């Protein structure tokens, strides 16, 4: 697949600019995946099975050679990726391309953030700039992960790959989003927080686009309690945190 442009401005909190150098994602999340829903709606893929077969943007590096000099002074943090996964589990060709993208961005003085449900390579610590490496971790229950993130890396291996980078002095972060309600999986948020307590930053957010949430009586109170727990934990452990908009609501729905 060939594209004309890659870098674009975004409103997400992980970075002010982003790029997606593949279409599709073998992780096949069933929360569901917003990127898949949009790709299907706009006719970029026809089926879930097609979404699971990622197509690389073959001219990624050529485009970036032109775009990075143009964007480098505007970008605070370039996020990989918004609509695919840069370290798709067991897809070496995507991992290798992502590493080249990161090297090239850093060579232009552009810092990056990455977010994955795959495994973060240890060689990320050799990059010259202070990038931010993140994983998504919403549960320690491997059975739940298998069901909702069927192609993603096992959760304990994912956390270990992040810990390895932390131990090398890299800045790390964890996205606990979309956090499942107890009718999806019974679990103790404290255990999850403890398992990732080494990280520098936590982002917490609720699950959207899934009717199963509204079937859980008192789901808003549940999310409000979770937000309090995450906030208290992060304050005690001096971890930066961010609560995604719409996760915490008071009785007026605000
Ligand atoms: S890892 Fe991200 S892009 Fe890939 S299927 Fe899951 S939610 Fe979608």
């Amino acid at each position: 697949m060939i594209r004309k442009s890659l870098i674009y401005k975004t409103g997400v909190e992980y970075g002010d600019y982003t790029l997606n150098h593949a279409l599709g994602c073998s992780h096949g999340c069933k929360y569901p995946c917003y990127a898949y829903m949009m790709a299907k709606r706009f006719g970029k893929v026809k089926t879930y099975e097609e979404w699971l077969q990622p197509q690389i943007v073959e001219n990624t590096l050529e485009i970036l050679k032109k775009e990075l000099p143009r964007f480098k002074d505007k970008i605070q943090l370039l996020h990989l990726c918004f609509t695919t996964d840069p370290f798709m589990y067991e897809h070496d060709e995507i991992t290798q391309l992502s590493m080249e993208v990161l090297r090239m961005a850093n060579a232009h003085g552009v810092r990056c953030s990455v977010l994955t449900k795959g495994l973060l390579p240890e060689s990320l610590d050799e990059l010259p700039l202070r990038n931010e490496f993140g994983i998504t971790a919403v549960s320690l229950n491997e059975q739940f992960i298998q069901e909702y993130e069927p192609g993603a890396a096992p959760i304990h291996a994912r956390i270990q790959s992040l810990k390895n980078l932390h131990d090398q002095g890299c800045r790390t972060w964890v996205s606990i989003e979309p956090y499942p309600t107890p009718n999806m999986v019974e679990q103790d948020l404290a255990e999850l927080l403890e398992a990732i307590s080494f990280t520098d930053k936590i982002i917490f957010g609720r699950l959207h686009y899934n009717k199963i949430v509204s079937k859980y009586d008192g789901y808003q109170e549940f999310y409000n309690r979770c937000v309090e727990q995450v906030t208290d934990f992060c304050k005690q452990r001096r971890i930066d945190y961010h609560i995604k908009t719409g996760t915490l609501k008071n009785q007026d729905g605000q």
Side-chain angles (χ1 to χ4, degrees):
M1 184 185 41
I2 301 290
R3 288 250 178 90
K4 287 195 177 134
S5 62
L6 275 176
I7 297 177
Y8 64 96
K9 199 163 173 44
T10 170
V12 297
E13 40 280 277
Y14 322 125
D16 52 342
Y17 283 81
T18 187
L19 69 90
N20 303 294
H21 48 295
L23 171 67
C25 179
S26 61
H27 294 163
C29 299
K30 295 189 172 166
Y31 293 111
C33 166
Y34 180 74
Y36 164 60
M37 291 196 302
M38 290 300 113
K40 200 154 177 239
R41 181 185 294 177
F42 293 107
K44 290 183 181 159
V45 294
K46 290 193 183 68
T47 61
Y48 176 71
E49 288 66 33
E50 197 181 327
W51 175 256
L52 296 182
Q53 309 285 335
Q55 294 176 57
I56 276 187
V57 177
E58 290 154 40
N59 57 339
T60 294
L61 299 178
E62 289 92 275
I63 298 176
L64 291 185
K65 267 182 209 154
K66 291 182 200 147
E67 289 187 338
L68 280 167
R70 223 169 65 222
F71 282 102
K72 65 178 185 171
D73 295 332
K74 293 184 191 148
I75 301 174
Q76 306 257 330
L77 201 58
L78 180 63
H79 180 65
L80 275 65
C81 295
F82 187 44
T83 65
T84 186
D85 193 305
F87 295 109
M88 225 175 278
Y89 190 47
E90 294 178 334
H91 276 273
D92 287 350
E93 73 290 4
I94 292 187
T95 292
Q96 278 170 24
L97 182 57
S98 298
M99 290 302 298
E100 293 202 50
V101 169
L102 292 166
R103 277 189 212 104
M104 196 185 271
N106 280 189
H108 284 81
V110 173
R111 286 198 317 119
C112 299
S113 75
V114 308
L115 179 62
T116 187
K117 291 191 185 92
L119 301 179
L120 291 159
E122 289 200 32
S123 55
L124 283 167
D125 79 338
E126 292 161 13
L127 290 166
L129 299 186
R130 190 140 176 83
N131 302 291
E132 303 192 359
F133 305 126
I135 58 162
T136 300
V138 302
S139 175
L140 296 176
N141 183 324
E142 295 286 6
Q143 207 179 329
F144 172 81
I145 293 295
Q146 262 291 319
E147 189 180 341
Y148 277 87
E149 304 172 2
I155 192 61
H156 290 90
R158 214 183 296 176
I159 293 172
Q160 189 57 48
S161 76
L162 189 73
K163 175 86 167 43
N164 293 342
L165 290 170
H166 163 81
D167 292 347
Q168 293 304 317
C170 298
R171 182 167 166 84
T172 65
W173 60 288
V174 176
S175 168
I176 308 182
E177 189 199 16
Y179 192 68
T181 41
N183 57 340
M184 296 169 76
V185 60
E186 280 285 353
Q187 61 178 359
D188 185 352
L189 178 55
E191 280 178 20
L192 175 61
L193 290 169
E194 200 54 56
I196 56 159
S197 58
F198 60 86
T199 197
D200 299 295
K201 184 173 179 182
I202 291 174
I203 290 184
F204 184 84
R206 59 161 288 183
L207 175 62
H208 294 276
Y209 320 115
N210 193 328
K211 289 196 182 98
I212 200 164
V213 172
S214 43
K215 284 191 187 140
Y216 182 70
D217 267 352
Y219 70 87
Q220 190 54 61
E221 289 75 24
F222 167 74
Y223 279 126
N224 288 354
R225 283 197 303 278
C226 292
V227 167
E228 198 180 332
Q229 193 176 348
V230 171
T231 308
D232 288 349
F233 182 85
C234 290
K235 283 181 182 161
Q236 275 167 20
R237 306 290 182 103
R238 294 171 188 249
I239 298 170
D240 293 343
Y241 64 92
H242 174 80
I243 307 298
K244 293 289 288 275
T245 311
T247 303
L248 179 69
K249 284 190 181 156
N250 62 26
Q251 283 166 336
D252 305 325
Q254 301 296 303

